[in-house]
Coordinates of all heavy atoms in Angstrom, one line a residue:
M26 N -0.8 -10.5 15.5 CA -0.3 -10.0 14.2 C -1.4 -10.0 13.2 O -2.2 -10.9 13.1 CB 0.8 -11.0 13.7 CG 1.9 -11.3 14.7 SD 3.1 -10.1 15.0 CE 4.0 -10.1 13.4
A27 N -1.4 -8.9 12.4 CA -2.4 -8.7 11.3 C -1.6 -8.6 10.0 O -0.7 -7.8 9.9 CB -3.2 -7.5 11.6
F28 N -2.0 -9.5 9.1 CA -1.4 -9.5 7.8 C -2.4 -8.9 6.8 O -3.4 -9.5 6.4 CB -1.0 -10.9 7.4 CG 0.0 -11.5 8.3 CD1 -0.3 -12.2 9.5 CD2 1.4 -11.4 8.0 CE1 0.6 -12.7 10.3 CE2 2.3 -12.0 8.8 CZ 1.9 -12.6 10.0
D29 N -2.2 -7.6 6.4 CA -3.1 -6.9 5.5 C -2.9 -7.4 4.1 O -1.9 -7.9 3.7 CB -2.9 -5.4 5.6 CG -3.2 -4.8 6.9 OD1 -3.9 -5.5 7.7 OD2 -2.6 -3.7 7.2
E30 N -4.0 -7.2 3.3 CA -3.9 -7.6 1.9 C -2.9 -6.8 1.1 O -2.5 -7.3 0.0 CB -5.3 -7.4 1.2 CG -6.3 -8.4 1.8 CD -7.7 -8.2 1.1 OE1 -7.8 -7.4 0.2 OE2 -8.7 -8.8 1.7
D31 N -2.5 -5.6 1.6 CA -1.5 -4.8 0.8 C -0.1 -5.2 1.2 O 0.8 -4.5 0.8 CB -1.8 -3.3 1.1 CG -1.6 -2.9 2.5 OD1 -1.4 -3.8 3.4 OD2 -1.7 -1.7 2.8
G32 N 0.1 -6.3 1.9 CA 1.5 -6.7 2.2 C 2.1 -6.1 3.5 O 3.3 -6.3 3.7
R33 N 1.3 -5.5 4.3 CA 1.8 -4.9 5.6 C 1.4 -5.9 6.7 O 0.4 -6.5 6.8 CB 1.2 -3.6 5.8 CG 1.6 -2.5 4.8 CD 0.9 -1.2 5.0 NE 0.5 -0.9 6.4 CZ 0.9 0.1 7.1 NH1 1.6 1.0 6.5 NH2 0.4 0.3 8.3
V34 N 2.4 -6.0 7.7 CA 2.1 -6.7 8.9 C 2.3 -5.8 10.1 O 3.2 -5.0 10.1 CB 3.1 -8.0 9.0 CG1 4.5 -7.6 9.0 CG2 2.7 -8.8 10.2
T35 N 1.3 -5.9 11.0 CA 1.4 -5.1 12.2 C 1.0 -6.0 13.4 O 0.3 -7.0 13.2 CB 0.5 -3.9 12.2 OG1 -0.9 -4.3 12.0 CG2 0.9 -2.9 11.1
G36 N 1.4 -5.7 14.6 CA 1.0 -6.5 15.7 C 1.8 -6.2 16.9 O 2.4 -5.1 17.0
T37 N 1.8 -7.1 17.8 CA 2.6 -7.0 19.1 C 3.4 -8.3 19.3 O 2.9 -9.4 19.0 CB 1.6 -6.7 20.2 OG1 2.4 -6.6 21.4 CG2 0.6 -7.8 20.4
T38 N 4.5 -8.1 20.0 CA 5.3 -9.2 20.4 C 4.9 -9.7 21.8 O 5.5 -10.6 22.3 CB 6.8 -8.9 20.4 OG1 7.0 -7.8 21.4 CG2 7.2 -8.4 19.0
G39 N 4.0 -9.0 22.4 CA 3.6 -9.2 23.8 C 4.2 -8.1 24.7 O 3.7 -7.8 25.7
V40 N 5.2 -7.4 24.2 CA 5.8 -6.3 24.9 C 5.8 -5.1 24.0 O 5.3 -4.0 24.4 CB 7.3 -6.6 25.4 CG1 7.9 -5.3 26.0 CG2 7.3 -7.7 26.3
N41 N 6.3 -5.2 22.8 CA 6.4 -4.1 21.8 C 5.5 -4.3 20.6 O 5.1 -5.4 20.3 CB 7.9 -4.0 21.4 CG 8.8 -3.4 22.5 OD1 8.6 -2.3 22.8 ND2 9.6 -4.2 23.0
R42 N 5.2 -3.2 20.0 CA 4.5 -3.2 18.7 C 5.5 -3.5 17.6 O 6.7 -3.1 17.7 CB 3.9 -1.9 18.4 CG 2.9 -1.4 19.5 CD 1.5 -1.7 19.4 NE 1.0 -1.5 18.0 CZ 0.1 -2.4 17.4 NH1 -0.3 -3.4 18.1 NH2 -0.3 -2.1 16.2
V43 N 5.1 -4.2 16.6 CA 5.9 -4.6 15.4 C 5.2 -4.2 14.2 O 3.9 -4.3 14.1 CB 6.3 -6.1 15.5 CG1 5.1 -7.0 15.3 CG2 7.3 -6.4 14.4
M44 N 5.9 -3.7 13.2 CA 5.4 -3.4 11.9 C 6.4 -3.7 10.8 O 7.6 -3.7 11.1 CB 4.9 -2.0 11.8 CG 5.9 -0.9 11.9 SD 6.6 -0.3 13.5 CE 5.4 -0.3 14.6
G45 N 5.9 -4.0 9.6 CA 6.8 -4.2 8.5 C 6.0 -4.7 7.3 O 4.8 -4.4 7.2
R46 N 6.7 -5.3 6.3 CA 6.1 -5.8 5.1 C 6.2 -7.3 5.1 O 7.1 -7.9 5.8 CB 6.8 -5.3 3.9 CG 6.7 -3.8 3.7 CD 7.4 -3.3 2.4 NE 8.8 -3.8 2.4 CZ 9.3 -4.7 1.6 NH1 8.6 -5.4 0.8 NH2 10.6 -5.0 1.6
Y47 N 5.3 -8.0 4.5 CA 5.4 -9.4 4.3 C 5.1 -9.9 2.9 O 4.5 -9.2 2.1 CB 4.5 -10.2 5.3 CG 3.1 -10.2 4.9 CD1 2.6 -11.3 4.2 CD2 2.2 -9.2 5.1 CE1 1.3 -11.4 3.7 CE2 0.9 -9.2 4.7 CZ 0.4 -10.3 4.0 OH -0.9 -10.4 3.6
E48 N 5.6 -11.1 2.6 CA 5.4 -11.7 1.3 C 5.2 -13.2 1.5 O 5.9 -13.7 2.3 CB 6.6 -11.4 0.4 CG 6.4 -11.9 -1.0 CD 7.6 -11.6 -1.9 OE1 7.8 -10.4 -2.2 OE2 8.4 -12.5 -2.3
V49 N 4.4 -13.8 0.7 CA 4.2 -15.2 0.7 C 4.6 -15.7 -0.7 O 4.0 -15.2 -1.7 CB 2.8 -15.6 1.1 CG1 2.6 -17.1 0.9 CG2 2.4 -15.2 2.5
A50 N 5.6 -16.6 -0.8 CA 6.0 -17.1 -2.1 C 6.6 -18.5 -1.9 O 7.3 -18.7 -0.9 CB 7.0 -16.2 -2.7
E51 N 6.2 -19.4 -2.7 CA 6.7 -20.8 -2.7 C 6.5 -21.4 -1.3 O 7.4 -22.1 -0.9 CB 8.2 -20.8 -3.2 CG 8.3 -20.3 -4.6 CD 9.8 -20.3 -5.0 OE1 10.6 -21.0 -4.4 OE2 10.1 -19.6 -6.0
G52 N 5.4 -21.2 -0.7 CA 5.1 -21.8 0.6 C 5.9 -21.2 1.8 O 5.9 -21.8 2.9
L53 N 6.6 -20.1 1.6 CA 7.3 -19.4 2.7 C 6.8 -18.0 3.0 O 6.4 -17.3 2.1 CB 8.8 -19.3 2.3 CG 9.5 -20.6 2.1 CD1 10.9 -20.4 1.6 CD2 9.5 -21.5 3.3
L54 N 6.8 -17.7 4.3 CA 6.4 -16.4 4.7 C 7.7 -15.6 5.0 O 8.5 -16.1 5.8 CB 5.6 -16.5 6.0 CG 5.3 -15.2 6.8 CD1 4.4 -14.3 6.0 CD2 4.7 -15.5 8.1
T55 N 7.8 -14.5 4.4 CA 9.0 -13.6 4.6 C 8.5 -12.3 5.1 O 7.6 -11.6 4.6 CB 9.7 -13.4 3.3 OG1 10.1 -14.6 2.7 CG2 11.0 -12.5 3.5
V56 N 9.1 -11.8 6.3 CA 8.8 -10.5 6.8 C 10.0 -9.7 6.6 O 11.1 -10.1 6.9 CB 8.5 -10.6 8.3 CG1 8.3 -9.2 8.9 CG2 7.2 -11.5 8.6
A57 N 9.8 -8.5 6.0 CA 10.9 -7.6 5.7 C 10.7 -6.2 6.3 O 9.6 -5.8 6.6 CB 11.1 -7.5 4.2
D58 N 11.8 -5.5 6.5 CA 11.7 -4.1 7.0 C 11.0 -4.0 8.3 O 10.2 -3.1 8.5 CB 11.1 -3.2 6.0 CG 11.9 -3.1 4.6 OD1 13.1 -3.3 4.7 OD2 11.2 -2.9 3.6
A59 N 11.1 -5.1 9.1 CA 10.4 -5.1 10.4 C 11.0 -4.0 11.4 O 12.3 -3.9 11.4 CB 10.5 -6.5 11.0
A60 N 10.2 -3.3 12.1 CA 10.6 -2.4 13.1 C 9.7 -2.6 14.3 O 8.6 -3.0 14.2 CB 10.4 -1.0 12.6
T61 N 10.3 -2.3 15.5 CA 9.5 -2.4 16.7 C 9.7 -1.2 17.6 O 10.6 -0.4 17.4 CB 10.0 -3.6 17.6 OG1 11.3 -3.4 18.0 CG2 9.9 -4.9 16.8
T62 N 8.7 -1.0 18.5 CA 8.9 0.0 19.5 C 10.0 -0.6 20.4 O 10.5 -1.7 20.3 CB 7.6 0.2 20.3 OG1 7.1 -1.0 20.8 CG2 6.6 0.9 19.4
R63 N 10.5 0.2 21.4 CA 11.7 -0.3 22.2 C 11.4 -0.2 23.7 O 12.2 0.3 24.4 CB 12.9 0.6 21.8 CG 13.2 0.4 20.3 CD 14.4 1.1 19.9 NE 15.6 0.7 20.6 CZ 16.5 -0.2 20.1 NH1 16.3 -0.7 19.0 NH2 17.6 -0.4 20.8
M64 N 10.3 -0.8 24.1 CA 9.9 -0.8 25.5 C 10.5 -2.0 26.1 O 10.7 -3.1 25.5 CB 8.4 -0.8 25.7 CG 7.8 0.5 25.2 SD 6.0 0.5 25.2 CE 5.6 -0.1 26.8
A65 N 10.8 -2.0 27.4 CA 11.3 -3.1 28.2 C 10.2 -3.8 28.9 O 9.2 -3.2 29.2 CB 12.4 -2.7 29.2
G66 N 10.4 -5.1 29.1 CA 9.4 -5.9 29.8 C 10.0 -6.9 30.7 O 11.3 -6.9 30.8
P67 N 9.3 -7.7 31.4 CA 9.9 -8.8 32.2 C 10.8 -9.7 31.4 O 10.6 -9.8 30.2 CB 8.7 -9.6 32.7 CG 7.5 -8.7 32.4 CD 7.8 -7.8 31.3
P68 N 11.9 -10.2 32.0 CA 12.8 -11.0 31.3 C 12.2 -12.1 30.4 O 12.6 -12.3 29.3 CB 13.8 -11.6 32.3 CG 13.6 -10.6 33.5 CD 12.2 -10.1 33.4
E69 N 11.2 -12.8 30.9 CA 10.6 -13.9 30.2 C 9.9 -13.4 28.9 O 10.0 -14.0 27.9 CB 9.6 -14.7 31.0 CG 10.1 -15.2 32.3 CD 10.2 -14.2 33.5 OE1 9.5 -13.2 33.4 OE2 11.0 -14.4 34.4
A70 N 9.2 -12.3 29.0 CA 8.6 -11.7 27.9 C 9.6 -11.2 26.9 O 9.3 -11.3 25.6 CB 7.6 -10.5 28.3
M71 N 10.7 -10.6 27.3 CA 11.7 -10.1 26.4 C 12.3 -11.3 25.6 O 12.6 -11.2 24.4 CB 12.7 -9.3 27.1 CG 12.2 -8.0 27.7 SD 11.3 -6.9 26.6 CE 12.6 -6.4 25.5
E72 N 12.5 -12.4 26.3 CA 13.1 -13.6 25.7 C 12.2 -14.1 24.7 O 12.6 -14.5 23.6 CB 13.4 -14.6 26.8 CG 14.1 -15.9 26.2 CD 14.4 -16.9 27.3 OE1 14.9 -16.5 28.4 OE2 14.1 -18.1 27.1
Q73 N 10.9 -14.2 25.0 CA 9.9 -14.7 24.0 C 9.9 -13.7 22.8 O 9.8 -14.2 21.6 CB 8.5 -14.7 24.7 CG 7.4 -15.1 23.7 CD 6.1 -15.2 24.4 OE1 5.9 -15.9 25.4 NE2 5.1 -14.4 23.9
E74 N 9.9 -12.4 23.0 CA 9.9 -11.5 21.9 C 11.1 -11.7 21.0 O 11.0 -11.7 19.8 CB 10.0 -10.0 22.5 CG 10.1 -9.0 21.4 CD 10.1 -7.6 22.0 OE1 9.1 -7.0 22.2 OE2 11.3 -7.1 22.2
Q75 N 12.3 -11.9 21.6 CA 13.5 -12.1 20.8 C 13.4 -13.4 20.0 O 13.9 -13.4 18.8 CB 14.8 -12.1 21.7 CG 15.1 -10.8 22.2 CD 15.2 -9.7 21.1 OE1 16.0 -9.9 20.1 NE2 14.5 -8.6 21.2
R76 N 12.8 -14.4 20.5 CA 12.6 -15.7 19.8 C 11.7 -15.5 18.6 O 11.9 -15.9 17.5 CB 12.1 -16.8 20.7 CG 13.1 -17.4 21.6 CD 12.7 -18.7 22.3 NE 11.4 -18.6 22.8 CZ 11.1 -18.4 24.1 NH1 12.1 -18.2 25.0 NH2 9.8 -18.4 24.5
L77 N 10.6 -14.7 18.8 CA 9.6 -14.5 17.7 C 10.3 -13.6 16.6 O 10.2 -13.9 15.5 CB 8.4 -13.7 18.3 CG 7.4 -13.3 17.2 CD1 6.8 -14.5 16.4 CD2 6.2 -12.5 17.8
L78 N 11.0 -12.5 17.0 CA 11.6 -11.7 16.0 C 12.7 -12.4 15.3 O 12.9 -12.2 14.1 CB 12.2 -10.4 16.7 CG 11.1 -9.5 17.3 CD1 11.8 -8.3 18.0 CD2 10.2 -9.0 16.2
G79 N 13.4 -13.3 16.0 CA 14.5 -14.1 15.3 C 13.9 -15.0 14.3 O 14.4 -15.3 13.2
L80 N 12.7 -15.6 14.7 CA 12.1 -16.5 13.7 C 11.6 -15.8 12.5 O 11.7 -16.3 11.4 CB 10.9 -17.2 14.5 CG 10.1 -18.2 13.7 CD1 10.9 -19.5 13.5 CD2 8.8 -18.6 14.5
L81 N 11.1 -14.6 12.7 CA 10.6 -13.8 11.5 C 11.7 -13.2 10.7 O 11.4 -12.6 9.7 CB 9.6 -12.8 12.0 CG 8.3 -13.3 12.7 CD1 7.5 -12.1 13.1 CD2 7.5 -14.2 11.7
D82 N 12.9 -13.3 11.1 CA 14.1 -12.7 10.5 C 14.5 -13.4 9.2 O 15.2 -12.9 8.4 CB 15.2 -12.7 11.4 CG 16.3 -11.7 11.0 OD1 15.9 -10.6 10.4 OD2 17.5 -12.0 11.2
A83 N 13.9 -14.6 8.9 CA 14.3 -15.4 7.7 C 13.0 -16.0 7.2 O 12.0 -16.2 7.9 CB 15.3 -16.5 8.1
P84 N 12.9 -16.3 5.9 CA 11.7 -16.9 5.3 C 11.4 -18.2 6.1 O 12.3 -19.0 6.5 CB 12.2 -17.2 3.9 CG 13.2 -16.2 3.6 CD 14.0 -16.0 4.9
Q85 N 10.1 -18.4 6.4 CA 9.7 -19.6 7.2 C 8.5 -20.3 6.5 O 7.6 -19.6 5.9 CB 9.3 -19.1 8.6 CG 10.3 -18.5 9.4 CD 11.4 -19.5 9.8 OE1 11.1 -20.7 10.0 NE2 12.6 -19.0 10.0
A86 N 8.5 -21.6 6.7 CA 7.3 -22.3 6.3 C 6.2 -22.0 7.3 O 6.4 -21.5 8.4 CB 7.6 -23.8 6.5
F87 N 5.0 -22.1 6.8 CA 3.8 -21.8 7.7 C 2.6 -22.6 7.3 O 2.5 -23.1 6.2 CB 3.5 -20.3 7.5 CG 2.9 -19.9 6.2 CD1 1.5 -19.8 6.0 CD2 3.7 -19.7 5.1 CE1 1.0 -19.5 4.8 CE2 3.2 -19.4 3.9 CZ 1.8 -19.3 3.7
V88 N 1.7 -22.7 8.2 CA 0.5 -23.5 8.0 C -0.7 -22.7 8.7 O -0.5 -22.2 9.8 CB 0.5 -24.9 8.7 CG1 -0.8 -25.6 8.6 CG2 1.6 -25.7 8.1
V89 N -1.7 -22.5 8.0 CA -2.9 -21.8 8.5 C -4.0 -22.8 8.7 O -4.4 -23.6 7.7 CB -3.4 -20.7 7.6 CG1 -4.7 -20.1 8.1 CG2 -2.4 -19.6 7.4
T90 N -4.5 -22.9 9.9 CA -5.6 -23.9 10.2 C -6.6 -23.1 11.0 O -6.4 -22.7 12.2 CB -5.1 -25.1 11.0 OG1 -4.0 -25.7 10.4 CG2 -6.2 -26.1 11.3
G91 N -7.8 -22.8 10.4 CA -8.8 -22.0 11.1 C -8.2 -20.6 11.5 O -7.8 -19.9 10.7
D92 N -8.3 -20.4 12.8 CA -7.8 -19.1 13.4 C -6.4 -19.2 13.8 O -5.9 -18.4 14.6 CB -8.7 -18.7 14.5 CG -10.1 -18.3 14.1 OD1 -10.2 -17.9 12.9 OD2 -11.0 -18.2 14.9
R93 N -5.6 -20.2 13.4 CA -4.3 -20.4 13.9 C -3.3 -20.3 12.8 O -3.5 -20.9 11.7 CB -4.1 -21.8 14.6 CG -4.9 -21.9 15.8 CD -4.9 -23.4 16.3 NE -5.7 -23.4 17.6 CZ -5.1 -23.5 18.8 NH1 -3.8 -23.6 18.9 NH2 -5.9 -23.6 19.8
L94 N -2.2 -19.6 13.0 CA -1.1 -19.5 12.1 C 0.2 -20.1 12.8 O 0.6 -19.6 13.8 CB -0.8 -18.1 11.7 CG 0.5 -17.8 11.0 CD1 0.5 -18.5 9.6 CD2 0.7 -16.3 10.8
Q95 N 0.7 -21.2 12.2 CA 1.9 -21.8 12.8 C 3.0 -21.5 11.8 O 2.9 -21.7 10.6 CB 1.6 -23.3 12.8 CG 2.8 -24.1 13.4 CD 2.4 -25.6 13.4 OE1 1.3 -26.0 13.5 NE2 3.4 -26.4 13.4
V96 N 4.1 -20.9 12.4 CA 5.2 -20.4 11.6 C 6.5 -21.1 12.1 O 6.7 -21.1 13.3 CB 5.4 -18.9 11.7 CG1 6.6 -18.4 10.9 CG2 4.1 -18.1 11.3
G97 N 7.3 -21.6 11.2 CA 8.5 -22.2 11.6 C 8.8 -23.6 11.0 O 7.9 -24.1 10.3
D98 N 9.9 -24.1 11.3 CA 10.4 -25.4 10.7 C 10.1 -26.6 11.6 O 10.6 -27.7 11.3 CB 11.8 -25.3 10.4 CG 12.7 -25.0 11.6 OD1 12.2 -25.1 12.8 OD2 13.9 -24.7 11.5
G99 N 9.4 -26.5 12.6 CA 9.1 -27.6 13.5 C 10.0 -27.6 14.7 O 9.7 -28.0 15.8
E100 N 11.3 -27.2 14.5 CA 12.2 -27.1 15.6 C 12.0 -25.8 16.4 O 12.0 -25.8 17.6 CB 13.7 -27.2 15.1 CG 14.6 -27.6 16.2 CD 16.0 -28.0 15.5 OE1 16.0 -28.9 14.7 OE2 17.0 -27.4 15.9
T101 N 12.0 -24.7 15.7 CA 11.6 -23.4 16.3 C 10.3 -23.1 15.7 O 10.1 -23.1 14.5 CB 12.7 -22.4 15.9 OG1 13.9 -22.8 16.3 CG2 12.3 -21.0 16.5
L102 N 9.3 -22.8 16.5 CA 7.9 -22.6 16.1 C 7.2 -21.5 16.8 O 7.5 -21.3 18.0 CB 7.2 -23.9 16.4 CG 5.8 -24.1 15.9 CD1 5.7 -24.2 14.4 CD2 5.2 -25.3 16.5
A103 N 6.4 -20.7 16.1 CA 5.5 -19.8 16.7 C 4.1 -20.1 16.4 O 3.8 -20.5 15.2 CB 5.8 -18.3 16.2
L104 N 3.2 -20.1 17.3 CA 1.8 -20.3 17.1 C 1.1 -19.1 17.4 O 1.1 -18.6 18.5 CB 1.3 -21.5 17.9 CG -0.2 -21.8 17.8 CD1 -0.6 -22.2 16.4 CD2 -0.6 -22.9 18.8
L105 N 0.4 -18.5 16.4 CA -0.3 -17.2 16.5 C -1.8 -17.6 16.4 O -2.2 -18.2 15.4 CB 0.1 -16.2 15.5 CG 1.6 -15.9 15.4 CD1 1.9 -15.0 14.2 CD2 2.1 -15.3 16.7
V106 N -2.6 -17.2 17.3 CA -4.0 -17.5 17.4 C -4.8 -16.2 17.3 O -4.6 -15.3 18.1 CB -4.4 -18.3 18.6 CG1 -5.9 -18.6 18.6 CG2 -3.6 -19.5 18.7
R107 N -5.8 -16.2 16.3 CA -6.6 -15.0 16.2 C -7.6 -14.9 17.4 O -8.2 -15.9 17.7 CB -7.5 -15.1 14.9 CG -8.3 -13.9 14.7 CD -9.2 -14.1 13.5 NE -8.6 -14.9 12.5 CZ -8.6 -14.6 11.2 NH1 -9.2 -13.6 10.7 NH2 -8.0 -15.4 10.3
P108 N -7.6 -13.7 18.0 CA -8.5 -13.6 19.2 C -10.0 -13.6 18.7 O -10.3 -13.2 17.6 CB -8.1 -12.2 19.8 CG -7.5 -11.5 18.7 CD -6.9 -12.5 17.8
R109 N -10.8 -14.1 19.6 CA -12.3 -14.1 19.3 C -12.8 -12.6 19.5 O -12.3 -11.9 20.3 CB -13.0 -15.0 20.3 CG -12.7 -16.4 20.1 CD -13.5 -17.3 21.0 NE -13.2 -18.6 20.8 CZ -13.3 -19.6 21.7 NH1 -13.7 -19.3 22.9 NH2 -13.0 -20.8 21.4
E110 N -13.8 -12.3 18.7 CA -14.4 -11.0 18.8 C -15.0 -10.8 20.2 O -15.6 -11.8 20.7 CB -15.5 -10.8 17.7 CG -15.0 -10.7 16.3 CD -14.1 -9.5 16.1 OE1 -14.4 -8.4 16.6 OE2 -13.2 -9.6 15.3
G111 N -14.9 -9.7 20.8 CA -15.5 -9.4 22.1 C -14.7 -10.1 23.2 O -15.2 -10.1 24.3
F112 N -13.6 -10.7 23.0 CA -12.8 -11.3 24.1 C -12.4 -10.2 25.1 O -11.9 -9.2 24.7 CB -11.6 -12.0 23.5 CG -10.8 -12.7 24.5 CD1 -11.2 -13.9 25.1 CD2 -9.5 -12.2 24.9 CE1 -10.5 -14.6 26.0 CE2 -8.8 -12.9 25.9 CZ -9.3 -14.1 26.4
D113 N -12.7 -10.5 26.3 CA -12.4 -9.5 27.4 C -11.6 -10.1 28.5 O -12.0 -11.1 29.1 CB -13.7 -8.9 27.9 CG -13.5 -7.8 28.9 OD1 -12.4 -7.2 29.0 OD2 -14.4 -7.4 29.6
V114 N -10.4 -9.6 28.8 CA -9.6 -10.1 29.9 C -9.9 -9.3 31.2 O -9.3 -9.7 32.2 CB -8.1 -10.1 29.5 CG1 -7.9 -11.0 28.4 CG2 -7.6 -8.7 29.2
G115 N -10.6 -8.3 31.2 CA -10.8 -7.4 32.3 C -12.1 -7.8 33.1 O -12.4 -7.7 34.1

């Protein structure tokens, strides 16, 4: 996920691309007008995608530590990690 200075968020859920607007206010991250592509993936990946999108559907507490963004209330949580430059999986 990339959070631009102009309030736009773009990224991937692991299966689909996601885009929308975001706002940070009073310690909460709010994602609005989110849209995704509509590709299908393995059941486990689709379940993970639905959990992430559900989490982003409401304002959430967040913590940024180095290259990590932790979003959620502790009970439901997403951990997003910035990839290292030049990271190659191939």
Side-chain angles (χ1 to χ4, degrees):
M26 306 285 290
F28 298 86
D29 295 340
E30 291 179 12
D31 64 355
R33 292 173 31 121
V34 60
T35 58
T37 179
T38 64
V40 176
N41 286 291
R42 304 266 318 140
V43 63
M44 68 278 322
R46 295 181 305 106
Y47 79 94
E48 180 179 296
V49 174
E51 299 180 21
L53 298 176
L54 171 67
T55 302
V56 175
D58 300 329
T61 65
T62 54
R63 300 183 58 98
M64 296 174 49
E69 302 83 22
M71 297 305 296
E72 184 178 312
Q73 176 178 305
E74 175 179 274
Q75 289 305 307
R76 286 194 312 262
L77 176 61
L78 294 174
L80 184 66
L81 296 177
D82 198 35
Q85 296 292 330
F87 69 97
V88 176
V89 176
T90 308
D92 289 342
R93 295 172 178 256
L94 169 62
Q95 182 176 333
V96 180
D98 60 10
E100 198 167 306
T101 303
L102 183 72
L104 177 62
L105 306 172
V106 180
R107 183 186 326 227
R109 292 185 180 151
E110 293 294 325
F112 183 72
D113 185 15
V114 295

